[in-house]
Amino acid sequence: MDETFTRINEGVQLHHQQGRREAARDLFAQLWAEIGGERGDPLHVCVLAHSMADVQDDVHEELRWDQRALAAADLLTDDRVAQAGVPMSVAALYPSLHLNLGECYRRLGDLDRARECLRQARAGIGALGDDAYGELIRGGLDTLAQQLG
């Protein structure tokens, strides 16, 4: 795992294990500057933006970070993902990215866009493994579907 991923993971731990959202956000902002923002390595941009979205207090900001993550995923190749030691295909990233976007749109009251994101996430669900990550994403999609009626 490269240094950038190690540091992103530190931020994720700060947020999820220690409940230190602001510290995680500060670390992610520092990393964002270091990688060159949206001009950085698309894999770093995708993972960092995806993580940064989770530590936002404002749903509009969360949506902007989720959109950055999705745009970066569109630039990724399976070779780059494998080179980084990420044990999944690029296609397996999309259900989670669309789920997060759908959840933002739902919270903003844009239910049509939320449903479209849910549809896109479900269209790519076959790329998910039969593992804890796949179960987490499938469960999130089921919850979003219930919330959207």
Side-chain angles (χ1 to χ4, degrees):
M1 187 177 295
D2 70 31
E3 177 66 20
T4 301
F5 285 125
T6 300
R7 293 179 62 211
I8 292 169
N9 191 50
E10 288 170 14
V12 170
Q13 300 300 318
L14 280 171
H15 175 218
H16 290 292
Q17 268 67 47
Q18 299 176 33
R20 297 176 56 207
R21 256 171 101 93
E22 198 169 316
R25 192 168 43 235
D26 290 346
L27 175 58
F28 293 150
Q30 180 184 345
L31 282 168
W32 187 253
E34 289 174 16
I35 68 167
E38 292 172 52
R39 293 176 313 282
D41 174 340
L43 185 57
H44 291 157
V45 172
C46 181
V47 175
L48 183 54
H50 193 55
S51 300
M52 182 63 121
D54 289 344
V55 296
Q56 297 306 305
D57 295 325
D58 177 84
V59 70
H60 294 95
E61 279 298 304
E62 183 177 345
L63 177 62
R64 286 210 339 242
W65 284 104
D66 282 331
Q67 290 168 329
R68 286 179 180 126
L70 181 64
D74 289 342
L75 303 173
L76 284 174
T77 64
D78 285 334
D79 284 345
R80 174 62 184 109
V81 172
Q83 174 196 351
V86 177
M88 65 177 67
S89 67
V90 173
L93 299 173
Y94 282 98
S96 176
L97 295 169
H98 287 295
L99 169 61
N100 286 9
L101 284 166
E103 178 57 23
C104 285
Y105 286 126
R106 182 195 67 77
R107 289 169 38 216
L108 289 168
D110 190 342
L111 302 187
D112 289 339
R113 272 204 181 130
R115 286 186 186 96
E116 176 57 21
C117 290
L118 179 62
R119 186 196 64 71
Q120 289 178 294
R122 285 184 163 163
I125 207 165
L128 292 174
D130 191 19
D131 56 14
Y133 175 76
E135 290 303 309
L136 177 72
I137 302 307
R138 286 184 194 90
L141 293 170
D142 290 345
T143 299
L144 181 59
Q146 289 169 359
Q147 291 170 329
L148 292 171

